Amino acid sequence: MSDALTISEQQFERVTQPRPAADYLLTERRVPPRDAGVSLWLVDVQRQLDAIKRLPPGWNSHGAPAPNRQVVDSAEQLLKCLCAAGALPRPHVNPTPAGGVQFEWQSASRYFEIEVVAERAAQYLYCDDAAGVEKVGEVFEDEPLEEVLACIRLVAAGQ
Amino acid sequence: MSDVENGLPKFRKPPVVETVLAVFFRPKFNSAHLGVLWDRHFRDRFPNLEERPPVEEEPERFGEDRLAEGPAVRWRVMDQPDVARLWATSKTDEHVVQFQRNAFLANWLKTGDDTSYRDYVDRREEFRQQLECLDRFAVERELGPIEPTSCWVTYVNHIDYEGMDQIGPALARLLACWTNETSDGWLPNPDNVVVNWGFPMPDQSGRLRVQLRPIARRNDKKEMLRLELSARSSAQKREIGEALAWIDLGHKWVVRGFASLTRPEMHRLWERIQ
Protein backbone atom coordinates (compact mmCIF):
# COMPACT_ATOMS: atom_id res chain seq x y z
CA MET A 1 0.00 0.00 0.00
CA SER A 2 1.17 3.50 -0.68
CA ASP A 3 3.01 4.86 2.36
CA ALA A 4 0.93 8.02 2.12
CA LEU A 5 -2.16 6.07 3.15
CA THR A 6 -1.01 4.66 6.45
CA ILE A 7 -0.68 6.50 9.73
CA SER A 8 1.92 4.18 11.22
CA GLU A 9 4.33 5.03 8.40
CA GLN A 10 4.45 8.63 9.56
CA GLN A 11 5.58 7.63 13.04
CA PHE A 12 8.50 5.59 11.76
CA GLU A 13 11.36 6.21 9.44
CA ARG A 14 13.01 3.82 7.12
CA VAL A 15 16.41 2.33 7.71
CA THR A 16 16.52 1.41 4.06
CA GLN A 17 16.30 4.15 1.50
CA PRO A 18 14.29 3.67 -1.68
CA ARG A 19 16.49 2.17 -4.34
CA PRO A 20 17.47 4.77 -6.92
CA ALA A 21 16.42 4.07 -10.46
CA ALA A 22 19.18 2.07 -12.09
CA ASP A 23 19.13 3.94 -15.36
CA TYR A 24 22.68 2.83 -16.17
CA LEU A 25 21.62 -0.83 -16.43
CA LEU A 26 20.20 -2.13 -19.68
CA THR A 27 18.36 -4.84 -17.74
CA GLU A 28 16.59 -2.21 -15.63
CA ARG A 29 15.01 -0.55 -18.60
CA ARG A 30 11.51 -1.50 -17.58
CA VAL A 31 9.47 0.62 -19.95
CA PRO A 32 9.97 -0.37 -23.55
CA PRO A 33 10.75 2.58 -25.80
CA ARG A 34 7.54 3.88 -27.24
CA ASP A 35 6.88 2.88 -30.80
CA ALA A 36 7.88 5.86 -32.90
CA GLY A 37 5.13 4.89 -35.34
CA VAL A 38 2.50 5.77 -32.75
CA SER A 39 3.65 9.37 -32.56
CA LEU A 40 3.56 9.67 -36.32
CA TRP A 41 -0.01 8.43 -36.70
CA LEU A 42 -1.14 10.40 -33.66
CA VAL A 43 -0.07 13.62 -35.37
CA ASP A 44 -2.06 12.59 -38.44
CA VAL A 45 -5.10 11.73 -36.36
CA GLN A 46 -4.88 15.08 -34.57
CA ARG A 47 -5.01 16.75 -37.98
CA GLN A 48 -8.12 14.70 -38.80
CA LEU A 49 -9.72 15.76 -35.53
CA ASP A 50 -8.94 19.41 -36.29
CA ALA A 51 -10.65 18.97 -39.65
CA ILE A 52 -13.67 17.36 -37.93
CA LYS A 53 -13.95 20.40 -35.65
CA ARG A 54 -14.30 22.61 -38.72
CA LEU A 55 -17.16 20.61 -40.27
CA PRO A 56 -20.27 22.77 -40.84
CA PRO A 57 -23.82 21.87 -39.80
CA GLY A 58 -25.34 19.41 -42.28
CA TRP A 59 -21.89 17.97 -43.16
CA ASN A 60 -23.39 14.51 -43.85
CA SER A 61 -26.19 15.78 -46.11
CA HIS A 62 -28.74 14.53 -43.56
CA GLY A 63 -28.87 17.55 -41.28
CA ALA A 64 -26.27 16.45 -38.75
CA PRO A 65 -25.18 19.21 -36.36
CA ALA A 66 -21.62 20.53 -36.49
CA PRO A 67 -19.34 18.41 -34.29
CA ASN A 68 -19.12 19.58 -30.69
CA ARG A 69 -15.60 21.02 -30.20
CA GLN A 70 -15.42 19.98 -26.54
CA VAL A 71 -16.36 16.43 -27.43
CA VAL A 72 -13.72 16.32 -30.19
CA ASP A 73 -11.09 17.69 -27.77
CA SER A 74 -12.15 15.07 -25.26
CA ALA A 75 -11.84 12.35 -27.89
CA GLU A 76 -8.30 13.55 -28.62
CA GLN A 77 -7.45 13.30 -24.91
CA LEU A 78 -8.89 9.79 -24.82
CA LEU A 79 -6.72 8.71 -27.73
CA LYS A 80 -3.62 10.26 -26.14
CA CYS A 81 -4.33 8.39 -22.88
CA LEU A 82 -4.70 5.12 -24.79
CA CYS A 83 -1.43 5.75 -26.65
CA ALA A 84 0.34 6.42 -23.34
CA ALA A 85 -0.21 2.76 -22.48
CA GLY A 86 1.98 1.58 -25.37
CA ALA A 87 2.04 0.94 -29.07
CA LEU A 88 -1.41 0.78 -30.64
CA PRO A 89 -2.42 0.43 -34.28
CA ARG A 90 -3.83 3.49 -35.98
CA PRO A 91 -7.62 3.77 -35.75
CA HIS A 92 -10.07 4.93 -38.38
CA VAL A 93 -11.56 8.23 -37.25
CA ASN A 94 -15.11 9.33 -38.08
CA PRO A 95 -17.39 12.13 -36.99
CA THR A 96 -20.79 10.84 -35.87
CA PRO A 97 -24.19 12.30 -36.81
CA ALA A 98 -24.80 13.03 -33.12
CA GLY A 99 -21.85 15.44 -32.94
CA GLY A 100 -19.31 13.04 -31.46
CA VAL A 101 -16.25 11.16 -32.72
CA GLN A 102 -15.74 7.45 -33.29
CA PHE A 103 -12.46 5.50 -33.39
CA GLU A 104 -12.48 2.07 -35.06
CA TRP A 105 -9.99 -0.77 -35.20
CA GLN A 106 -10.57 -3.81 -37.42
CA SER A 107 -8.78 -7.05 -38.21
CA ALA A 108 -9.84 -10.21 -40.05
CA SER A 109 -12.67 -11.22 -37.72
CA ARG A 110 -12.37 -8.73 -34.87
CA TYR A 111 -13.75 -5.22 -34.65
CA PHE A 112 -13.70 -2.56 -31.95
CA GLU A 113 -15.24 0.89 -31.96
CA ILE A 114 -15.41 3.51 -29.27
CA GLU A 115 -17.63 6.55 -29.72
CA VAL A 116 -17.10 9.64 -27.61
CA VAL A 117 -20.74 10.64 -27.13
CA ALA A 118 -20.28 13.50 -24.68
CA GLU A 119 -17.43 15.54 -23.25
CA ARG A 120 -16.75 12.95 -20.54
CA ALA A 121 -18.51 9.80 -21.74
CA ALA A 122 -17.87 7.14 -24.37
CA GLN A 123 -19.51 3.89 -25.46
CA TYR A 124 -17.76 0.94 -27.03
CA LEU A 125 -18.48 -2.24 -28.96
CA TYR A 126 -16.20 -5.25 -29.44
CA CYS A 127 -17.04 -8.08 -31.85
CA ASP A 128 -15.19 -11.28 -32.69
CA ASP A 129 -17.18 -12.96 -35.46
CA ALA A 130 -15.04 -16.10 -35.45
CA ALA A 131 -15.52 -16.63 -31.72
CA GLY A 132 -19.12 -15.40 -31.68
CA VAL A 133 -18.27 -12.74 -29.08
CA GLU A 134 -19.95 -9.35 -28.81
CA LYS A 135 -19.35 -6.99 -25.91
CA VAL A 136 -20.60 -3.48 -25.25
CA GLY A 137 -19.57 -1.08 -22.49
CA GLU A 138 -19.16 2.50 -21.49
CA VAL A 139 -16.35 4.48 -19.97
CA PHE A 140 -16.34 7.88 -18.31
CA GLU A 141 -13.69 10.50 -17.65
CA ASP A 142 -11.14 9.49 -15.02
CA GLU A 143 -12.02 5.81 -15.23
CA PRO A 144 -9.45 3.10 -15.94
CA LEU A 145 -9.10 2.20 -19.62
CA GLU A 146 -7.91 -1.36 -19.08
CA GLU A 147 -10.94 -2.99 -20.73
CA VAL A 148 -10.77 -0.66 -23.71
CA LEU A 149 -7.05 -1.34 -24.13
CA ALA A 150 -7.63 -5.09 -23.86
CA CYS A 151 -10.17 -4.94 -26.72
CA ILE A 152 -7.85 -2.89 -28.95
CA ARG A 153 -5.00 -5.31 -28.29
CA LEU A 154 -7.24 -8.25 -29.18
CA VAL A 155 -8.02 -6.62 -32.51
CA ALA A 156 -4.34 -5.81 -33.05
CA ALA A 157 -3.42 -9.43 -32.30
CA GLY A 158 -5.79 -10.55 -35.05
CA GLN A 159 -4.16 -8.40 -37.74
CA MET B 1 -18.40 -15.73 16.65
CA SER B 2 -19.41 -13.86 13.50
CA ASP B 3 -19.49 -15.53 10.09
CA VAL B 4 -16.70 -13.32 8.76
CA GLU B 5 -14.28 -14.50 11.47
CA ASN B 6 -15.45 -18.10 11.61
CA GLY B 7 -12.43 -20.42 11.57
CA LEU B 8 -9.86 -17.67 11.03
CA PRO B 9 -6.67 -17.58 13.12
CA LYS B 10 -7.04 -15.35 16.18
CA PHE B 11 -4.40 -13.87 18.51
CA ARG B 12 -4.74 -12.25 21.94
CA LYS B 13 -1.71 -10.03 21.34
CA PRO B 14 -1.31 -9.63 17.57
CA PRO B 15 1.51 -7.33 16.42
CA VAL B 16 -0.96 -5.27 14.35
CA VAL B 17 -0.46 -1.52 14.65
CA GLU B 18 -2.70 -0.32 11.84
CA THR B 19 -5.53 -1.57 9.64
CA VAL B 20 -7.00 0.07 6.54
CA LEU B 21 -10.21 -0.77 4.69
CA ALA B 22 -10.66 0.95 1.33
CA VAL B 23 -13.09 1.06 -1.56
CA PHE B 24 -12.44 2.79 -4.88
CA PHE B 25 -15.44 3.74 -6.99
CA ARG B 26 -16.42 5.52 -10.19
CA PRO B 27 -15.44 9.18 -9.74
CA LYS B 28 -18.28 11.03 -8.01
CA PHE B 29 -17.22 13.96 -5.93
CA ASN B 30 -15.66 17.37 -6.48
CA SER B 31 -13.95 19.41 -3.75
CA ALA B 32 -17.23 21.06 -2.70
CA HIS B 33 -18.98 17.69 -2.31
CA LEU B 34 -16.14 16.33 -0.19
CA GLY B 35 -16.14 19.39 2.06
CA VAL B 36 -19.90 19.23 2.61
CA LEU B 37 -19.76 15.47 3.15
CA TRP B 38 -17.11 15.85 5.86
CA ASP B 39 -18.82 18.80 7.51
CA ARG B 40 -22.27 17.22 7.70
CA HIS B 41 -21.52 13.58 8.35
CA PHE B 42 -17.97 13.10 9.67
CA ARG B 43 -16.78 16.31 11.32
CA ASP B 44 -18.12 15.51 14.81
CA ARG B 45 -16.14 12.29 15.04
CA PHE B 46 -13.20 13.29 12.81
CA PRO B 47 -12.67 17.00 13.52
CA ASN B 48 -9.05 17.42 12.37
CA LEU B 49 -8.84 17.91 8.62
CA GLU B 50 -5.90 17.95 6.21
CA GLU B 51 -5.67 17.98 2.42
CA ARG B 52 -3.37 15.54 0.63
CA PRO B 53 -2.78 14.54 -2.98
CA PRO B 54 -5.18 11.89 -4.30
CA VAL B 55 -4.18 8.24 -4.23
CA GLU B 56 -4.06 6.32 -7.49
CA GLU B 57 -6.14 3.19 -7.84
CA GLU B 58 -3.67 0.55 -9.01
CA PRO B 59 -5.36 -2.40 -10.63
CA GLU B 60 -4.10 -5.90 -9.87
CA ARG B 61 -2.87 -7.33 -13.15
CA PHE B 62 -2.67 -10.97 -14.13
CA GLY B 63 -1.22 -13.10 -16.92
CA GLU B 64 1.39 -11.43 -19.11
CA ASP B 65 0.67 -8.04 -17.53
CA ARG B 66 1.26 -9.17 -13.94
CA LEU B 67 4.76 -7.66 -13.76
CA ALA B 68 3.61 -4.28 -15.07
CA GLU B 69 3.79 -1.49 -12.50
CA GLY B 70 2.01 1.77 -11.97
CA PRO B 71 -1.50 3.12 -11.89
CA ALA B 72 -4.21 2.33 -14.39
CA VAL B 73 -4.30 4.29 -17.64
CA ARG B 74 -7.23 6.68 -17.31
CA TRP B 75 -9.13 8.99 -19.57
CA ARG B 76 -8.16 12.44 -18.34
CA VAL B 77 -9.89 15.51 -19.69
CA MET B 78 -7.42 18.25 -19.02
CA ASP B 79 -9.67 21.17 -18.08
CA GLN B 80 -10.10 20.29 -14.40
CA PRO B 81 -7.56 20.35 -11.57
CA ASP B 82 -7.08 17.28 -9.36
CA VAL B 83 -9.45 17.04 -6.41
CA ALA B 84 -7.50 16.75 -3.15
CA ARG B 85 -7.90 13.80 -0.78
CA LEU B 86 -9.37 14.82 2.57
CA TRP B 87 -7.67 13.19 5.57
CA ALA B 88 -9.81 13.54 8.73
CA THR B 89 -8.53 12.37 12.13
CA SER B 90 -10.51 11.53 15.28
CA LYS B 91 -9.84 13.42 18.52
CA THR B 92 -7.86 10.48 19.92
CA ASP B 93 -5.84 10.04 16.69
CA GLU B 94 -6.96 6.40 16.73
CA HIS B 95 -9.16 6.64 13.63
CA VAL B 96 -8.80 8.35 10.27
CA VAL B 97 -11.18 8.54 7.33
CA GLN B 98 -9.97 9.56 3.89
CA PHE B 99 -12.15 10.77 1.02
CA GLN B 100 -11.30 11.58 -2.56
CA ARG B 101 -13.33 11.87 -5.72
CA ASN B 102 -13.17 8.12 -6.35
CA ALA B 103 -12.31 6.47 -3.03
CA PHE B 104 -13.11 6.11 0.64
CA LEU B 105 -10.57 4.72 3.12
CA ALA B 106 -10.79 4.14 6.88
CA ASN B 107 -7.71 3.60 9.09
CA TRP B 108 -7.39 2.33 12.65
CA LEU B 109 -4.12 2.99 14.49
CA LYS B 110 -2.84 1.43 17.68
CA THR B 111 -1.91 4.62 19.51
CA GLY B 112 -0.24 3.11 22.59
CA ASP B 113 0.89 -0.15 24.18
CA ASP B 114 -2.33 -0.32 26.17
CA THR B 115 -4.59 0.25 23.14
CA SER B 116 -6.52 -2.95 22.53
CA TYR B 117 -6.77 -4.37 19.02
CA ARG B 118 -9.85 -3.17 17.19
CA ASP B 119 -11.79 -6.24 16.14
CA TYR B 120 -12.46 -6.72 12.41
CA VAL B 121 -16.19 -7.28 12.95
CA ASP B 122 -16.51 -3.84 14.56
CA ARG B 123 -14.31 -2.21 11.95
CA ARG B 124 -16.25 -3.79 9.10
CA GLU B 125 -19.62 -2.72 10.51
CA GLU B 126 -18.43 0.85 10.99
CA PHE B 127 -16.95 0.88 7.47
CA ARG B 128 -20.25 -0.42 6.03
CA GLN B 129 -22.16 2.39 7.76
CA GLN B 130 -19.68 5.01 6.53
CA LEU B 131 -19.80 3.69 2.97
CA GLU B 132 -23.60 3.70 3.01
CA CYS B 133 -23.48 7.27 4.31
CA LEU B 134 -21.38 8.19 1.25
CA ASP B 135 -23.85 6.38 -0.97
CA ARG B 136 -26.85 8.23 0.50
CA PHE B 137 -25.00 11.54 0.18
CA ALA B 138 -24.21 10.85 -3.50
CA VAL B 139 -27.83 9.93 -4.24
CA GLU B 140 -29.15 12.99 -2.40
CA ARG B 141 -26.84 15.18 -4.49
CA GLU B 142 -28.12 13.48 -7.65
CA LEU B 143 -24.67 12.07 -8.41
CA GLY B 144 -26.01 8.51 -8.60
CA PRO B 145 -25.14 5.67 -6.22
CA ILE B 146 -21.58 4.68 -5.35
CA GLU B 147 -20.31 2.13 -7.89
CA PRO B 148 -17.29 0.35 -6.38
CA THR B 149 -14.50 -0.67 -8.75
CA SER B 150 -11.86 -2.13 -6.40
CA CYS B 151 -11.20 -2.80 -2.71
CA TRP B 152 -8.14 -2.95 -0.43
CA VAL B 153 -7.62 -4.49 3.01
CA THR B 154 -4.27 -3.65 4.61
CA TYR B 155 -2.77 -4.69 7.96
CA VAL B 156 0.55 -3.30 9.22
CA ASN B 157 2.46 -5.26 11.88
CA HIS B 158 5.49 -4.14 13.89
CA ILE B 159 7.73 -6.87 15.22
CA ASP B 160 10.63 -6.35 17.62
CA TYR B 161 14.07 -7.69 16.84
CA GLU B 162 17.56 -7.22 18.17
CA GLY B 163 19.08 -4.83 15.68
CA MET B 164 20.46 -4.84 12.17
CA ASP B 165 23.20 -7.42 12.76
CA GLN B 166 20.50 -9.86 13.71
CA ILE B 167 18.00 -9.24 10.95
CA GLY B 168 18.75 -12.56 9.22
CA PRO B 169 18.23 -14.72 12.33
CA ALA B 170 15.19 -12.60 13.27
CA LEU B 171 13.61 -13.31 9.91
CA ALA B 172 14.40 -17.01 10.32
CA ARG B 173 12.53 -16.98 13.64
CA LEU B 174 9.62 -15.01 12.14
CA LEU B 175 9.04 -16.45 8.68
CA ALA B 176 8.21 -20.07 7.91
CA CYS B 177 9.87 -19.79 4.50
CA TRP B 178 13.19 -18.19 5.60
CA THR B 179 16.11 -20.25 6.90
CA ASN B 180 18.85 -17.58 6.79
CA GLU B 181 21.29 -20.14 5.42
CA THR B 182 23.66 -19.90 2.47
CA SER B 183 25.02 -22.81 0.44
CA ASP B 184 28.55 -22.58 1.88
CA GLY B 185 28.33 -20.22 4.87
CA TRP B 186 30.67 -17.70 3.21
CA LEU B 187 28.40 -14.67 3.45
CA PRO B 188 27.88 -12.94 6.82
CA ASN B 189 24.42 -12.21 8.18
CA PRO B 190 22.64 -9.57 6.10
CA ASP B 191 22.22 -6.12 7.66
CA ASN B 192 19.26 -5.25 5.48
CA VAL B 193 16.47 -7.31 3.95
CA VAL B 194 13.45 -6.15 1.99
CA VAL B 195 11.01 -8.83 0.86
CA ASN B 196 8.03 -8.44 -1.47
CA TRP B 197 5.62 -11.22 -2.27
CA GLY B 198 2.48 -11.37 -4.42
CA PHE B 199 0.04 -14.23 -3.89
CA PRO B 200 -2.76 -14.52 -6.46
CA MET B 201 -6.24 -15.03 -5.08
CA PRO B 202 -8.67 -17.52 -6.70
CA ASP B 203 -10.22 -16.70 -10.09
CA GLN B 204 -7.99 -13.61 -10.47
CA SER B 205 -10.24 -11.86 -7.94
CA GLY B 206 -7.24 -10.07 -6.48
CA ARG B 207 -3.79 -10.49 -4.97
CA LEU B 208 -2.31 -10.55 -1.49
CA ARG B 209 0.73 -8.28 -1.47
CA VAL B 210 3.15 -8.82 1.39
CA GLN B 211 6.11 -6.56 2.14
CA LEU B 212 8.64 -6.91 4.92
CA ARG B 213 11.33 -4.37 5.70
CA PRO B 214 13.24 -3.00 8.67
CA ILE B 215 12.31 0.37 10.12
CA ALA B 216 13.50 2.51 13.02
CA ARG B 217 11.16 4.29 15.39
CA ARG B 218 11.50 8.06 15.16
CA ASN B 219 11.44 8.82 18.88
CA ASP B 220 13.87 6.21 20.25
CA LYS B 221 15.47 4.80 17.07
CA LYS B 222 14.37 1.33 18.11
CA GLU B 223 14.65 -1.03 15.17
CA MET B 224 11.68 -3.12 14.20
CA LEU B 225 10.43 -5.25 11.33
CA ARG B 226 7.46 -3.87 9.44
CA LEU B 227 5.31 -6.63 7.93
CA GLU B 228 2.53 -5.29 5.74
CA LEU B 229 -0.15 -7.50 4.22
CA SER B 230 -2.41 -5.84 1.67
CA ALA B 231 -5.18 -7.71 -0.17
CA ARG B 232 -6.29 -5.85 -3.28
CA SER B 233 -9.09 -6.78 -5.61
CA SER B 234 -8.91 -6.79 -9.37
CA ALA B 235 -10.73 -3.92 -11.12
CA GLN B 236 -14.37 -4.80 -11.67
CA LYS B 237 -17.60 -2.90 -11.29
CA ARG B 238 -19.52 -4.03 -8.21
CA GLU B 239 -22.44 -3.22 -5.93
CA ILE B 240 -21.65 -1.98 -2.41
CA GLY B 241 -22.72 -5.36 -0.99
CA GLU B 242 -20.32 -7.15 -3.34
CA ALA B 243 -17.52 -4.78 -2.35
CA LEU B 244 -18.12 -5.56 1.33
CA ALA B 245 -18.15 -9.28 0.54
CA TRP B 246 -14.77 -8.82 -1.19
CA ILE B 247 -13.47 -6.91 1.86
CA ASP B 248 -14.37 -9.99 3.93
CA LEU B 249 -12.43 -12.15 1.47
CA GLY B 250 -9.48 -9.74 1.59
CA HIS B 251 -9.52 -9.81 5.41
CA LYS B 252 -9.53 -13.61 5.33
CA TRP B 253 -6.49 -13.61 3.03
CA VAL B 254 -4.64 -11.09 5.20
CA VAL B 255 -5.27 -13.03 8.42
CA ARG B 256 -4.67 -16.50 6.99
CA GLY B 257 -1.70 -15.22 4.99
CA PHE B 258 -0.15 -13.76 8.14
CA ALA B 259 -0.59 -17.05 10.03
CA SER B 260 0.69 -19.04 7.08
CA LEU B 261 3.85 -16.97 6.57
CA THR B 262 4.84 -16.79 10.24
CA ARG B 263 6.13 -19.58 12.47
CA PRO B 264 4.12 -21.35 15.22
CA GLU B 265 6.74 -20.23 17.80
CA MET B 266 5.84 -16.61 17.03
CA HIS B 267 2.14 -17.49 17.20
CA ARG B 268 2.73 -18.61 20.81
CA LEU B 269 4.37 -15.26 21.55
CA TRP B 270 1.33 -13.47 20.12
CA GLU B 271 -0.96 -15.84 22.08
CA ARG B 272 -2.78 -17.55 19.25
CA ILE B 273 -6.09 -18.88 20.53
CA GLN B 274 -7.49 -20.51 17.39
Side-chain angles (χ1 to χ4, degrees), chain B:
Chain B
M1 184 187 301
S2 77
D3 287 346
V4 293
E5 289 204 309
N6 198 9
L8 292 184
K10 208 168 176 67
F11 302 88
R12 273 203 194 92
K13 294 180 180 173
V16 183
V17 295
E18 181 171 6
T19 64
V20 189
L21 306 180
V23 167
F24 286 82
F25 44 80
R26 273 188 156 176
K28 282 281 169 220
F29 304 118
N30 60 28
S31 302
H33 295 136
L34 294 178
V36 173
L37 174 68
W38 170 72
D39 187 53
R40 293 205 178 152
H41 299 288
F42 290 89
R43 185 175 192 162
D44 285 348
R45 181 136 188 265
F46 304 92
N48 307 313
L49 190 66
E50 295 171 42
E51 280 190 321
R52 301 194 177 190
V55 172
E56 289 284 354
E57 176 183 16
E58 282 190 38
E60 287 300 330
R61 299 173 170 101
F62 294 93
E64 289 178 2
D65 288 340
R66 76 188 190 287
L67 300 180
E69 293 177 347
V73 176
R74 288 171 186 278
W75 178 14
R76 303 271 194 208
V77 180
M78 298 300 182
D79 61 351
Q80 287 189 331
D82 266 353
V83 175
R85 172 170 46 119
L86 297 188
W87 171 290
T89 312
S90 67
K91 287 172 189 156
T92 61
D93 293 336
E94 198 176 329
H95 296 275
V96 166
V97 286
Q98 305 178 52
F99 317 90
Q100 62 184 41
R101 65 182 312 200
N102 67 335
F104 174 69
L105 306 94
N107 304 48
W108 166 81
L109 178 72
K110 181 175 179 167
T111 49
D113 290 342
D114 53 347
T115 310
S116 56
Y117 170 60
R118 182 88 195 280
D119 197 53
Y120 172 71
V121 176
D122 291 346
R123 290 268 292 123
R124 196 251 198 211
E125 175 57 17
E126 186 177 44
F127 187 72
R128 181 188 68 76
Q129 290 174 12
Q130 291 167 334
L131 201 56
E132 288 181 354
C133 175
L134 253 72
D135 187 55
R136 283 195 301 275
F137 179 82
V139 171
E140 283 166 15
R141 299 270 148 178
E142 299 183 343
L143 302 169
I146 297 288
E147 300 166 273
T149 51
S150 64
C151 314
W152 294 355
V153 178
T154 298
Y155 277 47
V156 179
N157 302 275
H158 284 169
I159 297 152
D160 279 340
Y161 77 110
E162 300 82 358
M164 71 175 74
D165 295 342
Q166 295 301 316
I167 191 166
L171 285 186
R173 279 193 299 280
L174 174 67
L175 297 175
C177 55
W178 186 283
T179 62
N180 200 43
E181 290 172 358
T182 54
S183 61
D184 57 6
W186 184 81
L187 281 168
N189 272 327
D191 64 359
N192 191 7
V193 176
V194 177
V195 187
N196 279 297
W197 285 281
F199 298 96
M201 294 164 69
D203 304 321
Q204 299 190 347
S205 64
R207 181 175 284 114
L208 178 66
R209 297 185 186 188
V210 182
Q211 187 192 63
L212 187 140
R213 59 185 164 87
I215 54 170
R217 200 148 52 191
R218 281 191 198 283
N219 53 1
D220 59 4
K221 298 289 179 195
K222 179 166 176 52
E223 293 183 5
M224 310 189 87
L225 296 173
R226 183 184 199 273
L227 178 61
E228 177 181 312
L229 295 97
S230 187
R232 299 177 176 200
S233 78
S234 53
Q236 180 189 328
K237 295 186 176 80
R238 300 172 165 85
E239 304 287 329
I240 284 186
E242 293 169 321
L244 289 167
W246 196 96
I247 294 252
D248 289 339
L249 178 69
H251 167 254
K252 175 183 169 182
W253 271 72
V254 166
V255 174
R256 291 206 62 168
F258 174 79
S260 191
L261 279 171
T262 50
R263 289 187 186 276
E265 295 79 5
M266 297 302 287
H267 298 177
R268 283 195 281 280
L269 194 67
W270 300 320
E271 300 185 10
R272 182 171 179 172
I273 50 178
Q274 76 180 42

Side-chain angles (χ1 to χ4, degrees), chain A residues 68-143:
Chain A
N68 180 315
R69 295 181 73 90
Q70 282 79 28
V71 172
V72 180
D73 286 342
S74 197
E76 184 179 336
Q77 291 295 343
L78 172 63
L79 198 60
K80 284 179 178 170
C81 293
L82 291 170
C83 288
L88 297 179
R90 177 178 180 156
H92 297 287
V93 186
N94 303 304
T96 67
V101 175
Q102 180 171 288
F103 301 117
E104 295 174 14
W105 288 263
Q106 187 153 23
S107 62
S109 70
R110 293 173 184 164
Y111 172 80
F112 179 71
E113 66 174 40
I114 183 163
E115 179 182 349
V116 180
V117 293
E119 197 179 342
R120 299 166 200 282
Q123 296 170 338
Y124 60 83
L125 165 72
Y126 171 77
C127 302
D128 184 337
D129 293 338
V133 173
E134 184 172 314
K135 187 163 64 174
V136 295
E138 54 187 12
V139 64
F140 296 91
E141 183 216 0
D142 208 25
E143 289 196 342

